[in-house]
Amino acid sequence: MNRIKVMVNGIPGNMAVSVAQHILDDNRFDLVPSALTGPEIVETEFSLGTTVVRLIPQEKREVQIATIMEKEGKFISVDYTHPSAVNENAAFFCRHGLPFVMGTTGGDRNLLEETVRASSIPAVIAPNMAKQIVGFQAMMAYAANTFPNLFQGYSLEIKESHQKGKADTSGTAKAMASYFNQLGIPFSEKDIIKERRPETQKTEWGIPEKYLQGHGWHTYRLKSPDETVSFEFTHNVNGREIYAKGTLDAVMFLDKKVAEGTEGSVFTMIDVLKDI
Amino acid sequence: MNRIKVMVNGIPGNMAVSVAQHILDDNRFDLVPSALTGPEIVETEFSLGTTVVRLIPQEKREVQIATIMEKEGKFISVDYTHPSAVNENAAFFCRHGLPFVMGTTGGDRNLLEETVRASSIPAVIAPNMAKQIVGFQAMMAYAANTFPNLFQGYSLEIKESHQKGKADTSGTAKAMASYFNQLGIPFSEKDIIKERRPETQKTEWGIPEKYLQGHGWHTYRLKSPDETVSFEFTHNVNGREIYAKGTLDAVMFLDKKVAEGTEGSVFTMIDVLKDI
C-alpha cells in the first residue's frame, strides 16, 4: 500500500504537533515537512525527533505551496490552526485543490461548507475528532429524534471538567443539553456545572495530575420524578490521544474519497464513523 | 374522555397487583374487577383497597369471560402471569377478540406473534415495560447497526445486581453485551458480573434496603486501549414503578390502535415509545 502523505498545519500548536507525531509513528502515512502557521509564530522550523518541519508564515504560503505540491505530489492537509484562520485556510486549500481535514473550530461554518461545495476537492469538517464521543452524540441525536419526551418528568444534572484555561462551557455538554431538551427535560446551558479548579479536579473528581492541563470529563445524571429510576452517562477523556487517532481515521477516509474522484463534498465525522 | 377499561391478569402476582393499583389510582382508567389466575392460586378473590377482584381459575374462564364481556363491553387485557401460560393466554385473548398487552416473558415468542397476526386484534408484546430502558437499548441497537466497530480495542466490564431470587443473568445485560459485540468488543455473556448477595448490594453498591428484594442495577464500563478514554453507562431501577407506568402507556397506545380499527398487528414497546 502506498503511504498517504499528510501536511499538518498549525504546528507548533499542541494538537497539530500531536497529530504530526502520530503521522510520523504510523507507517500508513508520511509527513510533509512543511506546515502553515499563524502570524504570532516567530519560529521558522519545528523539530519532531529527527524530522524538521518548516513553518510557513502567511505571506509566503502562495509561493511555497507551489514548490511543495511540485515536490510532494498529492497529499492531504490537516488544519489545527486558529478559529480566526478557518475560512481563509479553507479558501486556500480549495484554491490549490488540496483536500483537507478541518479540525479547527470556530469561524463561519456555513461559509466553510459553501467554500468546499464550490470547489473541486472533498473535505472532512470535524469540530470533534473523538470518534467514540461523536458516536455517543449520534446515539443521543437518534433518541431525541425518534423518542421525543422519553425522559419527560426526569431531572437532569450535567457536570463537566476541563483544563483551567478553557473559559467557555464544553460544546459537547451544550449539544447534549439540547438533546435532553428534545427528550422532554427543560434544561438551560447555564445549568451546566463547569469545573475549572485544578485542586477540585484532582481531589474530588479524581482526575490524574498529569491531565489537569488537558482533559474533558462529562457526566449526565437523570432521575425519575419518584427517584426510583436513575441513569448516568459518563465520558472522560484524558489528553489528546483520542483526537489524534480520530484525525488519522478522517485522513484515511478522505484519501479514499479522493481516490473515488469525489469533488466539492463535505463529510463529517459521522461519515468517517460509518466507514470504520 | 371515556375511561379505558382494563383487566389485569396475574393477580395476586406482584407485578399484576402493582399495575392494578396504578389503574385504580389513575382516572384515565377503570379496573375490570376480574382477573385470570394460575392453577397454583387457591384464593378466589383479592382486595385492592375497597375494590375486590374476582380471581378466575383456568377451568372457569371460558364461561366467565362471556359474562364479563357482556357486562363490561370493550376492555384491554394486561397479562402478568407465568411464562408457562404465555401462549395459552394469548390464544385465549385472540379467540375472544380481546386486545392485550403481554408483559409476561418466556413461552414461544414466535408462536405468540403468529397467534396475534392470525387474529382480529392488535397486541403490545413487551418483555421489558421500562420505557426509558427500552429507549436506551434502542440507542445502543442504532449505534451497533450504524457504527459497527466504533469501540474496537476497548475493554468492557458489565456488572448487574438483582434481587437474591433471580437465578439467571439479566436479559438487558445480555442484550447490551450483544450490542457491544457488534460495536467491536469481544465479550461473552458469562463475563457479566452478577451480584445477588443482599449484604454486598447494600454495603458496596449502595442499594437502599427496601429495594433489596426488587431492583435491577446495571453498569457498563468501557476503556480505550491506552486507558486515556473511558465511558460509563448506568441504569438503576428500584422497585416496580417504572414497569407499571410503562404498562399504562402501552394500554393507552393499544386503546388508540383499537380505535383505529387495527387488526392482527403486533406492536412493541418501541412503537409505544415513538408515540409518547
Side-chain angles (χ1 to χ4, degrees):
Chain A
M1 200 180 75
N2 282 336
R3 291 186 177 214
I4 301 168
K5 287 192 182 177
V6 187
M7 181 180 194
V8 182
N9 304 294
I11 294 173
N14 286 328
M15 199 58 228
V17 168
S18 173
V19 170
Q21 189 61 58
H22 275 81
I23 296 285
L24 285 173
D25 295 343
D26 190 323
N27 60 19
R28 294 175 298 173
F29 307 102
D30 271 332
L31 184 70
V32 173
S34 300
L36 303 181
T37 199
E40 77 287 6
I41 306 301
V42 290
E43 301 95 312
T44 56
E45 51 182 52
F46 187 89
S47 294
L48 282 152
T50 58
T51 305
V52 176
V53 178
R54 253 189 330 145
L55 304 183
I56 310 175
Q58 201 163 348
E59 65 276 14
K60 294 194 185 156
R61 64 188 188 179
E62 291 291 341
V63 177
Q64 296 206 8
I65 198 72
T67 321
I68 294 166
M69 289 172 72
E70 201 173 332
K71 174 165 182 270
E72 304 284 350
K74 285 187 176 174
F75 58 88
I76 285 179
S77 299
V78 169
D79 193 291
Y80 275 113
T81 57
H82 190 270
S84 64
V86 163
N87 294 104
E88 205 175 279
N89 286 3
F92 175 83
F93 297 134
C94 289
R95 195 160 61 240
H96 292 282
L98 299 170
F100 66 94
V101 174
M102 178 60 73
T104 315
T105 55
D108 180 334
R109 307 304 281 189
N110 287 331
L111 175 60
L112 173 56
E113 294 197 11
E114 280 165 29
T115 307
V116 175
R117 291 217 171 85
S119 81
S120 65
I121 53 115
V124 173
I125 298 179
N128 185 346
M129 295 275 184
K131 278 189 306 179
Q132 291 76 15
I133 291 170
V134 172
F136 180 54
Q137 280 191 258
M139 284 169 66
M140 290 292 299
Y142 163 80
N145 290 324
T146 318
F147 315 122
N149 299 323
L150 180 62
F151 284 99
Q152 198 152 45
Y154 275 59
S155 64
L156 174 64
E157 183 191 86
I158 301 185
K159 284 170 68 175
E160 55 96 339
S161 174
H162 286 79
Q163 55 278 3
K164 200 177 166 191
K166 185 175 168 64
D168 57 334
T169 304
S170 151
T172 307
K174 288 196 273 190
M176 289 289 177
S178 79
Y179 300 135
F180 284 118
N181 289 160
Q182 276 183 270
L183 288 163
I185 307 178
F187 189 92
S188 152
E189 274 181 28
K190 64 180 188 331
D191 299 329
I192 296 171
I193 299 165
K194 281 201 312 244
E195 186 55 74
R196 298 290 180 272
R197 294 164 297 177
E199 196 50 36
T200 311
Q201 291 170 337
K202 203 172 96 178
T203 55
E204 285 178 29
W205 291 61
I207 296 167
E209 185 134 22
K210 66 189 254 205
Y211 295 119
L212 290 177
Q213 287 177 37
H215 68 275
W217 285 34
H218 303 74
T219 292
Y220 314 89
R221 278 201 190 101
L222 297 152
K223 268 213 167 89
S224 67
D226 66 358
E227 306 207 338
T228 59
V229 182
S230 65
F231 284 78
E232 191 171 315
F233 305 124
T234 292
H235 53 90
N236 295 343
V237 172
N238 289 328
R240 298 186 178 85
E241 194 65 20
I242 190 174
Y243 307 106
K245 280 193 181 148
T247 307
L248 300 196
D249 286 312
V251 168
M252 291 293 292
F253 172 88
L254 188 60
D255 182 65
K256 209 190 294 181
K257 292 293 150 189
V258 171
E260 288 168 6
T262 310
E263 295 190 358
S265 294
V266 173
F267 297 99
T268 68
M269 213 56 197
I270 297 281
D271 299 307
V272 176
L273 256 60
K274 288 186 177 166
D275 196 59
I276 301 170
Chain B
M1 200 180 76
N2 283 337
R3 289 183 179 217
I4 301 168
K5 287 193 182 180
V6 186
M7 182 180 192
V8 182
N9 303 293
I11 295 173
N14 286 328
M15 199 57 229
V17 168
S18 172
V19 170
Q21 189 61 57
H22 275 80
I23 296 285
L24 285 172
D25 295 344
D26 190 324
N27 60 19
R28 294 174 299 174
F29 306 103
D30 272 332
L31 183 69
V32 172
S34 300
L36 304 181
T37 200
E40 76 289 3
I41 305 300
V42 291
E43 301 96 312
T44 56
E45 50 182 53
F46 187 88
S47 295
L48 282 151
T50 57
T51 304
V52 176
V53 178
R54 255 189 327 145
L55 304 184
I56 309 174
Q58 202 162 350
E59 66 276 15
K60 292 192 184 156
R61 64 187 188 178
E62 289 291 343
V63 177
Q64 295 205 9
I65 198 71
T67 320
I68 294 166
M69 289 172 73
E70 201 175 332
K71 177 165 181 273
E72 304 283 349
K74 285 187 175 173
F75 59 87
I76 285 179
S77 298
V78 169
D79 193 291
Y80 276 112
T81 57
H82 190 270
S84 64
V86 163
N87 294 103
E88 205 175 275
N89 286 4
F92 175 82
F93 297 134
C94 288
R95 195 158 65 237
H96 292 282
L98 299 170
F100 66 94
V101 174
M102 177 60 73
T104 314
T105 55
D108 180 335
R109 308 303 282 190
N110 286 332
L111 175 59
L112 172 56
E113 293 198 11
E114 280 165 27
T115 305
V116 175
R117 292 219 170 84
S119 81
S120 63
I121 53 114
V124 173
I125 299 179
N128 185 348
M129 294 276 185
K131 279 189 306 180
Q132 290 77 17
I133 291 169
V134 171
F136 180 54
Q137 280 190 258
M139 284 168 67
M140 291 291 301
Y142 163 79
N145 290 323
T146 317
F147 315 122
N149 300 323
L150 181 61
F151 285 98
Q152 199 154 44
Y154 276 59
S155 64
L156 173 65
E157 181 191 86
I158 301 185
K159 283 171 65 174
E160 56 97 336
S161 173
H162 285 79
Q163 56 278 4
K164 200 177 166 190
K166 183 173 170 65
D168 56 333
T169 304
S170 153
T172 306
K174 287 195 274 190
M176 290 288 177
S178 80
Y179 300 135
F180 284 117
N181 288 161
Q182 275 184 269
L183 288 163
I185 307 178
F187 189 92
S188 151
E189 274 180 28
K190 63 178 188 332
D191 299 329
I192 296 171
I193 300 166
K194 281 200 313 243
E195 187 54 75
R196 298 290 181 269
R197 294 164 297 176
E199 197 51 36
T200 311
Q201 291 170 337
K202 205 171 95 178
T203 56
E204 285 179 29
W205 290 61
I207 296 167
E209 184 134 25
K210 65 189 257 205
Y211 294 119
L212 290 177
Q213 288 178 38
H215 69 273
W217 285 34
H218 303 74
T219 292
Y220 314 89
R221 276 202 192 101
L222 296 152
K223 267 210 169 89
S224 67
D226 66 358
E227 305 207 339
T228 60
V229 181
S230 65
F231 284 79
E232 189 171 316
F233 305 125
T234 292
H235 53 89
N236 294 343
V237 172
N238 289 327
R240 299 184 178 87
E241 194 65 20
I242 191 174
Y243 308 106
K245 281 195 181 145
T247 307
L248 301 196
D249 286 313
V251 169
M252 291 294 293
F253 172 88
L254 189 59
D255 182 65
K256 208 191 294 182
K257 291 294 151 191
V258 171
E260 289 168 6
T262 311
E263 296 190 357
S265 293
V266 173
F267 297 98
T268 67
M269 213 56 196
I270 297 281
D271 299 307
V272 176
L273 255 61
K274 288 185 177 167
D275 196 59
I276 300 170

